[in-house]
Amino acid sequence: MPGPHPTTASYDPEAVRAKYLAERDKRLVPNRADIRDLRADEHFARYRDDPFKPVIERDPVVDDVDVVIVGGGIAGVLAGAQLRKAGLERIRIVDQAGGIGGTWYWNRYPGVMCDVESYIYLPMLEELDYIPTQRYALGGEILGHLEAVADRFDLVADALFHTGVTRAEWHEDVARWWISTDRGDVVRCRWYVLAVGILNLMKLPTIPGMEDFAGRSFHTARWDYEYTGGGPEEPLTGLSDKVVGLIGTGASGIQCVPPLAKSAKHLYVFQRTPSAIGERGNRPTDPDFADGLEPNWQRARMDNFQAIVLGRPVEVDQVDDGWTHDYAAVQNVPRGKDMTMAEYLRSAEELDYGIMETHRHRIEELVADPAKVEILKPYYRYLCKRPCFHDEYLSAFNNPDVTLVDCPAGMERITRKGPVVNGRQYEVDCIIYGTGFERELTPLFRRAGHEIVGRGGVSLAEKWADGAASLFGMMSRGFPNMFVMPAPGQQAVVTVNYTQLAVLGAEFIGGAVGLLEQRGVEVFDVSAKAEEAWTQAIVDSFVDSSAVMSACTPSRINNEGHPELTNPRNGNYGRGFGDWFAYRERLEQWLEAGSLEGLELEVRSTAS
Ligand SMILES: Cc1cc2nc3c(=O)[nH]c(=O)nc-3n(C[C@H](O)[C@H](O)[C@H](O)COP(=O)(O)OP(=O)(O)OC[C@H]3O[C@@H](n4cnc5c(N)ncnc54)[C@H](O)[C@@H]3O)c2cc1C
């Protein structure tokens, strides 16, 4: 478990602030946040191709189903399961991927694993009577489990894989959505569910000369095993005579460094900003884990984790990891009764400093070379960048065949031979972009990758041009019979454990469709009043954190150095990241009341 934080007796707030700002400024360079639009980029569009399963030719499908779910990741599978429980027969998942899994289909890089405890991250463990084999499961196990859930609820036979939805349009005359795809399909459906992902758009930087590189290159979310050999859990045998350049040291980059270090002839790790790497503490599941688990144990464990993250009292910390220690501590700094705001802010800064010092000391303990130690040390406040946890990443730098290249301002360029940093050419055979994904707050209409056209020909992009407008972050006026799985930036809440939010969203959709079907409702839409009230509640609880976040090192979390651009309408239900428990209570009470409050309903004339 994470140890005690070192003394902060020598803490000098002015000096720490100055150091953090200096480190931030090194990284605040023009165009640092520029990215390529992979959907439109002629040269790099191939990066999106599926390297895992061949695309099989098929005829276009033209038919009618009860529901189309766009996306077959955790969210889509859970929505499908709940809709099946609600009695729907024809459920069609459509996904660009060649199978179920979403994130876990695409991300098969070596070492990929969840960073939230698997007993709360893998969904429906009780229904499937499954206990993950490790505290933090590897990607293959997560993928296998999601496939098992999809099989259990018979979601695969009707699915269309390797199929991108290009347009969804509401047809008022027949009260159906028409879903068009890049395979020429037109599927008509009564209910349309968006489960398109939160980190589904790969991010590629715009480094001058990238196109000129003559070697092999790919993104971690489309790992090229044909080139590297091996597999997610096997040595990368094809790299024994290859020099590899890895760009990026965020959550994906750090997970694939240890296996790359073991297999490559030489590995260059190009780092713009170091992540804070806490202890992972992974271990096989205790053989006694399942003994004595009470029914509903998974929901209780998720709640326990969530309560700690939100600073609520609990009797015991069931998960007991870096999230419940460091993350929760920084999020919930205690405020003494007599503390002034200035005193409180100072104590929050000091606590943060202690935690970051622990991380910096850990590097000194694990990495032998003092030059590497200094480059790996994160100098910013803990929540400026998504925290990472790993047991082998830091020690991988003790391998003489691993070179860490510090490039806070980014790379100068990439030539035919490889990256150039500080005037030095690094010759590599292969470049791997561990550069992550477009941020979660990317608007839904962009993440969805298709045009969504509602009543009167108005698109969601037009309607949400000035920010989201919804009821519960899951339905939007003018888009009848449409549900959106809740996600950050969309008037719902943010959770460290995304699965908990997906479970709630799926239960809500299943419950709501069940009620609508029972009442014989042909069409529902959100009332203007209900949407205004929900949106106003979101705006009213918005907390402008840009003063703190602008002092951060630029990252996805602070909008790459521009936290002031956050639109309050794209905020959460409750202050800050939102109040999970209040949000869930609202949704559950709404379902329990059964009155479909806030919806305008068109009931079938034949309904009993
Ligand atoms: C490597 C990695 C590790 C992660 N670990 C954690 C973790 O430990 N804990 C955590 O809470 N979160 C984690 N996340 C975040 C993760 O994305 C979510 O936990 C979760 O998997 C998202 O599920 P989803 O179903 O919402 O989206 P996704 O899994 O992204 O699935 C969305 C699917 O929609 C498809 N799609 C989108 N648009 C279209 C379209 N127009 N047509 C057809 N298909 C479309 C995509 O192809 C994709 O398969 C991790 C993310 C990554 C990348």
Side-chain angles (χ1 to χ4, degrees):
M1 275 314 87
H5 300 134
T7 173
T8 53
S10 61
Y11 173 57
D12 173 349
E14 290 302 328
V16 172
R17 270 179 229 143
K19 171 73 176 161
Y20 286 7
L21 289 178
E23 290 292 327
R24 175 200 68 177
D25 291 347
K26 282 188 203 168
R27 294 169 171 86
L28 271 181
V29 293
N31 308 328
R32 75 159 262 138
D34 288 0
I35 53 171
R36 287 166 190 276
D37 187 343
L38 282 184
R39 284 187 286 230
D41 191 297
E42 214 178 291
H43 188 87
F44 290 99
R46 69 182 169 85
Y47 275 35
R48 296 177 68 223
D49 293 348
D50 182 351
F52 310 119
K53 282 191 188 169
V55 177
I56 294 166
E57 283 306 311
R58 64 166 174 81
D59 292 332
V61 172
V62 178
D63 67 358
D64 294 86
V65 295
D66 295 327
V67 56
V68 165
I69 301 173
V70 187
I74 291 180
V77 167
L78 291 181
Q82 295 300 337
L83 287 165
R84 186 69 81 207
K85 286 188 191 173
L88 293 202
E89 280 175 13
R90 298 224 52 203
I91 298 175
R92 171 156 292 152
I93 290 178
V94 184
D95 202 308
Q96 266 143 6
I100 288 297
T103 292
W104 302 100
Y105 178 90
W106 293 120
N107 288 273
R108 302 184 190 211
Y109 57 80
V112 60
M113 62 166 73
C114 54
D115 70 356
V116 165
E117 194 207 48
S118 55
Y119 317 125
I120 57 172
Y121 183 68
L122 273 67
M124 288 195 158
L125 291 180
E126 288 178 80
E127 277 95 329
L128 269 84
D129 195 17
Y130 183 69
I131 300 290
T133 60
Q134 298 193 74
R135 199 168 169 218
Y136 301 91
L138 292 169
E141 182 172 354
I142 303 171
L143 176 60
H145 178 70
L146 295 176
E147 288 169 343
V149 176
D151 283 342
R152 167 68 59 89
F153 293 94
D154 191 16
L155 299 173
V156 178
D158 278 333
L160 296 177
F161 295 125
H162 281 147
T163 303
V165 172
T166 49
R167 185 179 171 85
E169 184 170 1
W170 173 250
H171 283 246
E172 194 75 56
D173 47 345
V174 285
R176 291 290 180 276
W177 282 93
W178 290 36
I179 312 296
S180 309
T181 79
D182 57 7
R183 310 282 300 255
D185 315 303
V186 181
V187 183
R188 291 174 292 261
C189 57
R190 187 143 163 250
W191 313 109
Y192 160 52
V193 177
L194 284 155
V196 294
I198 49 174
L199 296 177
N200 62 318
L201 301 178
M202 286 182 285
K203 194 166 79 179
L204 256 203
T206 55
I207 304 167
M210 278 165 78
E211 299 83 351
D212 301 334
F213 180 59
R216 195 85 158 213
S217 63
F218 55 88
H219 189 279
T220 49
R222 301 287 187 277
W223 195 271
D224 185 351
Y225 283 107
E226 191 187 286
Y227 178 77
T228 65
E233 296 168 44
E234 292 157 25
L236 307 164
T237 45
L239 296 183
S240 57
D241 59 348
K242 300 284 188 299
V243 177
V244 175
L246 171 71
I247 302 180
T249 52
S252 304
I254 68 140
Q255 289 186 341
C256 60
V257 161
L260 281 172
K262 277 186 199 138
S263 296
K265 180 175 158 204
H266 197 90
L267 174 66
Y268 289 105
V269 179
F270 297 94
Q271 174 193 277
R272 196 162 65 167
T273 310
S275 291
I277 317 284
E279 185 189 325
R280 172 77 302 170
N282 202 9
R283 54 175 179 261
T285 298
D286 188 329
D288 303 333
F289 181 86
D291 294 350
L293 287 175
E294 303 276 344
N296 268 333
W297 69 265
Q298 196 182 26
R299 176 172 159 128
R301 196 174 179 96
M302 285 182 183
D303 280 0
N304 177 273
F305 179 80
Q306 185 68 270
I308 295 171
V309 165
L310 291 176
R312 309 278 166 90
V314 293
E315 275 177 24
V316 36
D317 177 354
Q318 296 186 23
V319 171
D320 193 21
D321 70 358
W323 292 110
T324 63
H325 288 240
D326 294 343
Y327 184 89
V330 174
Q331 284 280 23
N332 306 290
V333 179
R335 182 166 180 184
K337 202 159 74 293
D338 303 324
M339 262 184 180
T340 63
M341 182 49 96
E343 285 165 344
Y344 171 67
L345 292 176
R346 191 185 182 288
S347 96
E349 244 181 309
E350 186 166 349
L351 181 137
D352 195 296
Y353 170 76
I355 288 175
M356 290 307 281
E357 277 292 276
T358 315
H359 284 77
R360 294 187 280 258
H361 286 190
R362 185 162 180 259
I363 301 165
E364 288 166 6
E365 279 161 22
L366 295 174
V367 181
D369 176 353
K372 285 182 182 170
V373 167
E374 228 15 70
I375 301 172
L376 285 165
K377 280 185 178 173
Y379 287 105
Y380 46 80
R381 289 183 70 163
Y382 187 66
L383 295 183
C384 287
K385 195 168 158 60
R386 185 177 169 94
C388 293
F389 307 91
H390 210 285
D391 295 333
E392 292 149 34
Y393 170 72
L394 291 169
S395 51
F397 289 97
N398 294 328
N399 182 332
D401 293 326
V402 178
T403 303
L404 178 63
V405 185
D406 189 23
C407 36
M411 278 174 185
E412 276 143 60
R413 64 199 145 89
I414 293 179
T415 68
R416 274 182 64 71
K417 295 176 179 173
V420 179
V421 177
N422 288 333
R424 179 176 162 192
Q425 168 82 69
Y426 291 86
E427 290 191 24
V428 300
D429 297 299
C430 168
I431 293 179
I432 301 171
Y433 290 95
T435 42
F437 302 88
E438 290 189 29
R439 56 201 299 261
E440 296 93 320
L441 296 184
T442 304
L444 169 68
F445 50 83
R446 176 167 169 78
R447 280 184 286 124
H450 63 280
E451 207 178 2
I452 301 162
V453 183
R455 281 188 156 146
V458 177
S459 72
L460 192 70
E462 287 165 340
K463 185 177 172 197
W464 285 21
D466 297 327
S470 79
L471 177 60
F472 304 150
M474 295 178 68
M475 299 168 281
S476 191
R477 181 168 171 77
F479 298 83
N481 292 13
M482 178 181 95
F483 292 98
V484 183
M485 285 295 281
Q490 208 181 278
Q491 305 196 338
V493 293
V494 178
T495 50
V496 170
N497 176 16
Y498 173 75
T499 297
Q500 190 175 26
L501 186 57
V503 167
L504 175 64
E507 286 174 355
F508 179 81
I509 293 173
V513 167
L515 288 171
L516 291 159
E517 294 261 349
Q518 262 170 34
R519 296 263 300 264
V521 174
E522 180 76 8
V523 178
F524 83 83
D525 201 351
V526 176
S527 74
K529 196 171 150 218
E531 183 163 285
E532 273 162 32
W534 186 262
T535 303
Q536 196 55 49
I538 301 294
V539 171
D540 289 347
S541 61
F542 179 74
V543 180
D544 182 2
S545 59
S546 55
V548 174
M549 295 309 279
S550 59
C552 274
T553 194
S555 81
R556 210 174 70 204
I557 289 183
N558 79 342
N559 205 11
E560 299 297 343
H562 292 286
E564 73 287 356
L565 299 180
T566 306
N567 181 344
R569 287 172 65 124
N570 298 341
N572 303 305
Y573 184 68
R575 291 169 64 80
F577 288 158
D579 184 339
W580 158 262
F581 290 101
Y583 179 64
R584 181 170 71 185
E585 201 174 303
R586 269 301 284 274
L587 299 194
E588 289 183 345
Q589 281 176 354
W590 187 92
L591 287 178
E592 212 169 297
S595 58
L596 302 173
E597 196 189 337
L599 301 186
E600 293 168 351
L601 309 172
E602 288 173 35
V603 177
R604 278 188 220 131
S605 51
T606 51
S608 53

mmCIF file of all heavy atoms in Angstrom, residues 49-84:
data_model
loop_
_atom_site.group_PDB
_atom_site.id
_atom_site.type_symbol
_atom_site.label_atom_id
_atom_site.label_comp_id
_atom_site.label_asym_id
_atom_site.label_seq_id
_atom_site.Cartn_x
_atom_site.Cartn_y
_atom_site.Cartn_z
ATOM 1 N N ASP A 49 -7.157 1.770 -39.338
ATOM 2 C CA ASP A 49 -7.539 0.428 -39.808
ATOM 3 C C ASP A 49 -7.385 -0.608 -38.694
ATOM 4 O O ASP A 49 -6.530 -0.484 -37.825
ATOM 5 C CB ASP A 49 -6.657 0.013 -40.998
ATOM 6 C CG ASP A 49 -6.924 0.885 -42.211
ATOM 7 O OD1 ASP A 49 -7.916 1.635 -42.193
ATOM 8 O OD2 ASP A 49 -6.113 0.831 -43.168
ATOM 9 N N ASP A 50 -8.213 -1.635 -38.795
ATOM 10 C CA ASP A 50 -8.196 -2.689 -37.789
ATOM 11 C C ASP A 50 -7.091 -3.706 -38.107
ATOM 12 O O ASP A 50 -7.191 -4.443 -39.090
ATOM 13 C CB ASP A 50 -9.567 -3.388 -37.787
ATOM 14 C CG ASP A 50 -9.640 -4.467 -36.719
ATOM 15 O OD1 ASP A 50 -8.606 -4.785 -36.104
ATOM 16 O OD2 ASP A 50 -10.749 -4.982 -36.498
ATOM 17 N N PRO A 51 -6.033 -3.784 -37.275
ATOM 18 C CA PRO A 51 -4.985 -4.760 -37.558
ATOM 19 C C PRO A 51 -5.294 -6.138 -36.973
ATOM 20 O O PRO A 51 -4.498 -7.069 -37.145
ATOM 21 C CB PRO A 51 -3.762 -4.165 -36.855
ATOM 22 C CG PRO A 51 -4.305 -3.316 -35.766
ATOM 23 C CD PRO A 51 -5.714 -2.940 -36.105
ATOM 24 N N PHE A 52 -6.412 -6.275 -36.273
ATOM 25 C CA PHE A 52 -6.648 -7.506 -35.509
ATOM 26 C C PHE A 52 -7.524 -8.526 -36.225
ATOM 27 O O PHE A 52 -7.375 -9.726 -36.029
ATOM 28 C CB PHE A 52 -7.265 -7.169 -34.141
ATOM 29 C CG PHE A 52 -6.508 -6.098 -33.419
ATOM 30 C CD1 PHE A 52 -7.111 -4.887 -33.087
ATOM 31 C CD2 PHE A 52 -5.172 -6.278 -33.098
ATOM 32 C CE1 PHE A 52 -6.405 -3.893 -32.439
ATOM 33 C CE2 PHE A 52 -4.458 -5.284 -32.446
ATOM 34 C CZ PHE A 52 -5.072 -4.082 -32.126
ATOM 35 N N LYS A 53 -8.464 -8.038 -37.029
ATOM 36 C CA LYS A 53 -9.365 -8.974 -37.721
ATOM 37 C C LYS A 53 -9.577 -8.481 -39.134
ATOM 38 O O LYS A 53 -9.790 -7.266 -39.338
ATOM 39 C CB LYS A 53 -10.732 -9.009 -37.024
ATOM 40 C CG LYS A 53 -10.754 -9.823 -35.768
ATOM 41 C CD LYS A 53 -12.181 -10.028 -35.295
ATOM 42 C CE LYS A 53 -12.170 -10.672 -33.920
ATOM 43 N NZ LYS A 53 -13.485 -10.658 -33.292
ATOM 44 N N PRO A 54 -9.562 -9.399 -40.104
ATOM 45 C CA PRO A 54 -9.792 -8.952 -41.478
ATOM 46 C C PRO A 54 -11.253 -8.508 -41.679
ATOM 47 O O PRO A 54 -12.163 -9.056 -41.059
ATOM 48 C CB PRO A 54 -9.500 -10.209 -42.308
ATOM 49 C CG PRO A 54 -9.621 -11.348 -41.353
ATOM 50 C CD PRO A 54 -9.359 -10.839 -39.982
ATOM 51 N N VAL A 55 -11.413 -7.521 -42.536
ATOM 52 C CA VAL A 55 -12.772 -7.056 -42.850
ATOM 53 C C VAL A 55 -13.350 -8.008 -43.900
ATOM 54 O O VAL A 55 -12.726 -8.252 -44.932
ATOM 55 C CB VAL A 55 -12.731 -5.614 -43.392
ATOM 56 C CG1 VAL A 55 -14.130 -5.148 -43.792
ATOM 57 C CG2 VAL A 55 -12.111 -4.683 -42.362
ATOM 58 N N ILE A 56 -14.511 -8.544 -43.626
ATOM 59 C CA ILE A 56 -15.115 -9.516 -44.550
ATOM 60 C C ILE A 56 -16.216 -8.824 -45.354
ATOM 61 O O ILE A 56 -17.063 -8.114 -44.785
ATOM 62 C CB ILE A 56 -15.676 -10.718 -43.757
ATOM 63 C CG1 ILE A 56 -14.492 -11.456 -43.124
ATOM 64 C CG2 ILE A 56 -16.489 -11.661 -44.646
ATOM 65 C CD1 ILE A 56 -14.852 -12.445 -42.074
ATOM 66 N N GLU A 57 -16.138 -9.037 -46.661
ATOM 67 C CA GLU A 57 -17.155 -8.432 -47.546
ATOM 68 C C GLU A 57 -18.537 -8.962 -47.175
ATOM 69 O O GLU A 57 -18.685 -10.128 -46.817
ATOM 70 C CB GLU A 57 -16.868 -8.821 -49.008
ATOM 71 C CG GLU A 57 -15.731 -8.034 -49.646
ATOM 72 C CD GLU A 57 -15.916 -6.525 -49.543
ATOM 73 O OE1 GLU A 57 -17.023 -6.036 -49.869
ATOM 74 O OE2 GLU A 57 -14.967 -5.844 -49.117
ATOM 75 N N ARG A 58 -19.528 -8.121 -47.261
ATOM 76 C CA ARG A 58 -20.908 -8.572 -47.050
ATOM 77 C C ARG A 58 -21.851 -7.631 -47.789
ATOM 78 O O ARG A 58 -21.467 -6.505 -48.149
ATOM 79 C CB ARG A 58 -21.257 -8.603 -45.566
ATOM 80 C CG ARG A 58 -21.231 -7.230 -44.900
ATOM 81 C CD ARG A 58 -21.911 -7.278 -43.536
ATOM 82 N NE ARG A 58 -21.775 -6.010 -42.815
ATOM 83 C CZ ARG A 58 -22.529 -4.939 -43.019
ATOM 84 N NH1 ARG A 58 -23.476 -4.938 -43.953
ATOM 85 N NH2 ARG A 58 -22.338 -3.838 -42.325
ATOM 86 N N ASP A 59 -23.071 -8.088 -48.007
ATOM 87 C CA ASP A 59 -24.059 -7.231 -48.659
ATOM 88 C C ASP A 59 -24.594 -6.222 -47.652
ATOM 89 O O ASP A 59 -24.646 -6.506 -46.451
ATOM 90 C CB ASP A 59 -25.232 -8.076 -49.179
ATOM 91 C CG ASP A 59 -24.775 -8.966 -50.326
ATOM 92 O OD1 ASP A 59 -23.816 -8.579 -51.023
ATOM 93 O OD2 ASP A 59 -25.356 -10.061 -50.493
ATOM 94 N N PRO A 60 -25.044 -5.079 -48.152
ATOM 95 C CA PRO A 60 -25.656 -4.114 -47.233
ATOM 96 C C PRO A 60 -26.914 -4.695 -46.588
ATOM 97 O O PRO A 60 -27.614 -5.497 -47.193
ATOM 98 C CB PRO A 60 -26.024 -2.940 -48.149
ATOM 99 C CG PRO A 60 -25.212 -3.116 -49.376
ATOM 100 C CD PRO A 60 -24.966 -4.579 -49.522
ATOM 101 N N VAL A 61 -27.159 -4.262 -45.369
ATOM 102 C CA VAL A 61 -28.349 -4.709 -44.634
ATOM 103 C C VAL A 61 -29.378 -3.587 -44.675
ATOM 104 O O VAL A 61 -29.054 -2.436 -44.365
ATOM 105 C CB VAL A 61 -27.969 -5.013 -43.166
ATOM 106 C CG1 VAL A 61 -29.205 -5.288 -42.329
ATOM 107 C CG2 VAL A 61 -26.988 -6.167 -43.106
ATOM 108 N N VAL A 62 -30.579 -3.912 -45.068
ATOM 109 C CA VAL A 62 -31.665 -2.925 -45.010
ATOM 110 C C VAL A 62 -32.798 -3.599 -44.261
ATOM 111 O O VAL A 62 -33.382 -4.567 -44.752
ATOM 112 C CB VAL A 62 -32.128 -2.521 -46.435
ATOM 113 C CG1 VAL A 62 -33.285 -1.528 -46.355
ATOM 114 C CG2 VAL A 62 -30.969 -1.923 -47.217
ATOM 115 N N ASP A 63 -33.061 -3.163 -43.043
ATOM 116 C CA ASP A 63 -34.146 -3.793 -42.289
ATOM 117 C C ASP A 63 -34.591 -2.927 -41.119
ATOM 118 O O ASP A 63 -34.136 -1.788 -40.962
ATOM 119 C CB ASP A 63 -33.757 -5.213 -41.847
ATOM 120 C CG ASP A 63 -32.638 -5.246 -40.810
ATOM 121 O OD1 ASP A 63 -32.134 -4.161 -40.459
ATOM 122 O OD2 ASP A 63 -32.275 -6.337 -40.358
ATOM 123 N N ASP A 64 -35.495 -3.478 -40.323
ATOM 124 C CA ASP A 64 -36.044 -2.772 -39.160
ATOM 125 C C ASP A 64 -35.698 -3.558 -37.905
ATOM 126 O O ASP A 64 -35.862 -4.775 -37.887
ATOM 127 C CB ASP A 64 -37.570 -2.722 -39.239
ATOM 128 C CG ASP A 64 -38.048 -1.897 -40.399
ATOM 129 O OD1 ASP A 64 -38.162 -2.470 -41.512
ATOM 130 O OD2 ASP A 64 -38.273 -0.700 -40.201
ATOM 131 N N VAL A 65 -35.256 -2.851 -36.879
ATOM 132 C CA VAL A 65 -35.004 -3.517 -35.594
ATOM 133 C C VAL A 65 -35.625 -2.662 -34.490
ATOM 134 O O VAL A 65 -36.084 -1.542 -34.739
ATOM 135 C CB VAL A 65 -33.485 -3.688 -35.337
ATOM 136 C CG1 VAL A 65 -32.842 -4.614 -36.357
ATOM 137 C CG2 VAL A 65 -32.771 -2.340 -35.327
ATOM 138 N N ASP A 66 -35.622 -3.204 -33.274
ATOM 139 C CA ASP A 66 -36.165 -2.415 -32.157
ATOM 140 C C ASP A 66 -35.209 -1.285 -31.783
ATOM 141 O O ASP A 66 -35.616 -0.165 -31.535
ATOM 142 C CB ASP A 66 -36.361 -3.315 -30.923
ATOM 143 C CG ASP A 66 -37.408 -4.383 -31.159
ATOM 144 O OD1 ASP A 66 -38.370 -4.102 -31.895
ATOM 145 O OD2 ASP A 66 -37.248 -5.501 -30.634
ATOM 146 N N VAL A 67 -33.927 -1.646 -31.713
ATOM 147 C CA VAL A 67 -32.961 -0.643 -31.247
ATOM 148 C C VAL A 67 -31.633 -0.804 -31.976
ATOM 149 O O VAL A 67 -31.198 -1.927 -32.234
ATOM 150 C CB VAL A 67 -32.756 -0.735 -29.707
ATOM 151 C CG1 VAL A 67 -32.319 -2.114 -29.272
ATOM 152 C CG2 VAL A 67 -31.742 0.277 -29.210
ATOM 153 N N VAL A 68 -31.025 0.323 -32.301
ATOM 154 C CA VAL A 68 -29.629 0.326 -32.750
ATOM 155 C C VAL A 68 -28.798 0.968 -31.649
ATOM 156 O O VAL A 68 -29.140 2.042 -31.141
ATOM 157 C CB VAL A 68 -29.454 1.096 -34.077
ATOM 158 C CG1 VAL A 68 -27.981 1.402 -34.339
ATOM 159 C CG2 VAL A 68 -30.028 0.296 -35.241
ATOM 160 N N ILE A 69 -27.743 0.268 -31.281
ATOM 161 C CA ILE A 69 -26.795 0.824 -30.311
ATOM 162 C C ILE A 69 -25.503 1.083 -31.073
ATOM 163 O O ILE A 69 -24.900 0.139 -31.618
ATOM 164 C CB ILE A 69 -26.527 -0.179 -29.166
ATOM 165 C CG1 ILE A 69 -27.838 -0.525 -28.446
ATOM 166 C CG2 ILE A 69 -25.502 0.395 -28.189
ATOM 167 C CD1 ILE A 69 -27.694 -1.641 -27.401
ATOM 168 N N VAL A 70 -25.067 2.326 -31.116
ATOM 169 C CA VAL A 70 -23.814 2.633 -31.807
ATOM 170 C C VAL A 70 -22.687 2.500 -30.786
ATOM 171 O O VAL A 70 -22.603 3.277 -29.837
ATOM 172 C CB VAL A 70 -23.822 4.050 -32.419
ATOM 173 C CG1 VAL A 70 -22.565 4.252 -33.269
ATOM 174 C CG2 VAL A 70 -25.071 4.280 -33.235
ATOM 175 N N GLY A 71 -21.841 1.484 -30.983
ATOM 176 C CA GLY A 71 -20.736 1.255 -30.059
ATOM 177 C C GLY A 71 -20.944 -0.037 -29.284
ATOM 178 O O GLY A 71 -21.996 -0.231 -28.665
ATOM 179 N N GLY A 72 -19.943 -0.893 -29.329
ATOM 180 C CA GLY A 72 -20.045 -2.185 -28.630
ATOM 181 C C GLY A 72 -19.023 -2.327 -27.522
ATOM 182 O O GLY A 72 -18.531 -3.417 -27.256
ATOM 183 N N GLY A 73 -18.689 -1.205 -26.869
ATOM 184 C CA GLY A 73 -17.791 -1.262 -25.708
ATOM 185 C C GLY A 73 -18.596 -1.557 -24.451
ATOM 186 O O GLY A 73 -19.736 -2.045 -24.523
ATOM 187 N N ILE A 74 -18.008 -1.241 -23.310
ATOM 188 C CA ILE A 74 -18.702 -1.507 -22.038
ATOM 189 C C ILE A 74 -20.092 -0.875 -22.061
ATOM 190 O O ILE A 74 -21.088 -1.512 -21.704
ATOM 191 C CB ILE A 74 -17.881 -0.925 -20.856
ATOM 192 C CG1 ILE A 74 -16.606 -1.727 -20.682
ATOM 193 C CG2 ILE A 74 -18.702 -0.918 -19.575
ATOM 194 C CD1 ILE A 74 -15.712 -1.248 -19.553
ATOM 195 N N ALA A 75 -20.161 0.375 -22.518
ATOM 196 C CA ALA A 75 -21.438 1.102 -22.486
ATOM 197 C C ALA A 75 -22.466 0.433 -23.393
ATOM 198 O O ALA A 75 -23.616 0.212 -22.990
ATOM 199 C CB ALA A 75 -21.214 2.557 -22.906
ATOM 200 N N GLY A 76 -22.060 0.100 -24.611
ATOM 201 C CA GLY A 76 -23.004 -0.491 -25.554
ATOM 202 C C GLY A 76 -23.455 -1.871 -25.108
ATOM 203 O O GLY A 76 -24.632 -2.230 -25.224
ATOM 204 N N VAL A 77 -22.522 -2.653 -24.588
ATOM 205 C CA VAL A 77 -22.867 -4.010 -24.146
ATOM 206 C C VAL A 77 -23.825 -3.940 -22.952
ATOM 207 O O VAL A 77 -24.819 -4.677 -22.886
ATOM 208 C CB VAL A 77 -21.580 -4.794 -23.793
ATOM 209 C CG1 VAL A 77 -21.907 -6.063 -23.035
ATOM 210 C CG2 VAL A 77 -20.813 -5.119 -25.067
ATOM 211 N N LEU A 78 -23.534 -3.037 -22.015
ATOM 212 C CA LEU A 78 -24.414 -2.946 -20.845
ATOM 213 C C LEU A 78 -25.797 -2.430 -21.243
ATOM 214 O O LEU A 78 -26.819 -2.909 -20.742
ATOM 215 C CB LEU A 78 -23.798 -2.046 -19.772
ATOM 216 C CG LEU A 78 -22.551 -2.612 -19.088
ATOM 217 C CD1 LEU A 78 -22.037 -1.665 -18.020
ATOM 218 C CD2 LEU A 78 -22.839 -3.980 -18.469
ATOM 219 N N ALA A 79 -25.826 -1.458 -22.164
ATOM 220 C CA ALA A 79 -27.134 -0.956 -22.630
ATOM 221 C C ALA A 79 -27.897 -2.108 -23.290
ATOM 222 O O ALA A 79 -29.094 -2.300 -23.046
ATOM 223 C CB ALA A 79 -26.934 0.200 -23.606
ATOM 224 N N GLY A 80 -27.196 -2.886 -24.109
ATOM 225 C CA GLY A 80 -27.841 -4.025 -24.780
ATOM 226 C C GLY A 80 -28.387 -5.024 -23.765
ATOM 227 O O GLY A 80 -29.508 -5.529 -23.903
ATOM 228 N N ALA A 81 -27.594 -5.307 -22.730
ATOM 229 C CA ALA A 81 -28.026 -6.286 -21.719
ATOM 230 C C ALA A 81 -29.299 -5.797 -21.026
ATOM 231 O O ALA A 81 -30.249 -6.563 -20.824
ATOM 232 C CB ALA A 81 -26.904 -6.493 -20.700
ATOM 233 N N GLN A 82 -29.321 -4.514 -20.680
ATOM 234 C CA GLN A 82 -30.501 -4.008 -19.957
ATOM 235 C C GLN A 82 -31.716 -3.918 -20.875
ATOM 236 O O GLN A 82 -32.853 -4.110 -20.429
ATOM 237 C CB GLN A 82 -30.199 -2.636 -19.325
ATOM 238 C CG GLN A 82 -29.139 -2.673 -18.231
ATOM 239 C CD GLN A 82 -29.514 -3.585 -17.057
ATOM 240 O OE1 GLN A 82 -30.687 -3.878 -16.809
ATOM 241 N NE2 GLN A 82 -28.513 -4.058 -16.330
ATOM 242 N N LEU A 83 -31.488 -3.613 -22.136
ATOM 243 C CA LEU A 83 -32.626 -3.568 -23.068
ATOM 244 C C LEU A 83 -33.160 -4.980 -23.312
ATOM 245 O O LEU A 83 -34.365 -5.185 -23.472
ATOM 246 C CB LEU A 83 -32.208 -2.890 -24.379
ATOM 247 C CG LEU A 83 -32.035 -1.369 -24.232
ATOM 248 C CD1 LEU A 83 -31.281 -0.780 -25.412
ATOM 249 C CD2 LEU A 83 -33.398 -0.686 -24.072
ATOM 250 N N ARG A 84 -32.271 -5.945 -23.321
ATOM 251 C CA ARG A 84 -32.721 -7.344 -23.433
ATOM 252 C C ARG A 84 -33.581 -7.686 -22.216
ATOM 253 O O ARG A 84 -34.655 -8.272 -22.345
ATOM 254 C CB ARG A 84 -31.494 -8.252 -23.511
ATOM 255 C CG ARG A 84 -31.793 -9.678 -23.758
ATOM 256 C CD ARG A 84 -32.336 -9.969 -25.163
ATOM 257 N NE ARG A 84 -31.311 -10.056 -26.166
ATOM 258 C CZ ARG A 84 -31.494 -9.787 -27.476
ATOM 259 N NH1 ARG A 84 -32.678 -9.406 -27.926
ATOM 260 N NH2 ARG A 84 -30.515 -9.886 -28.336
#
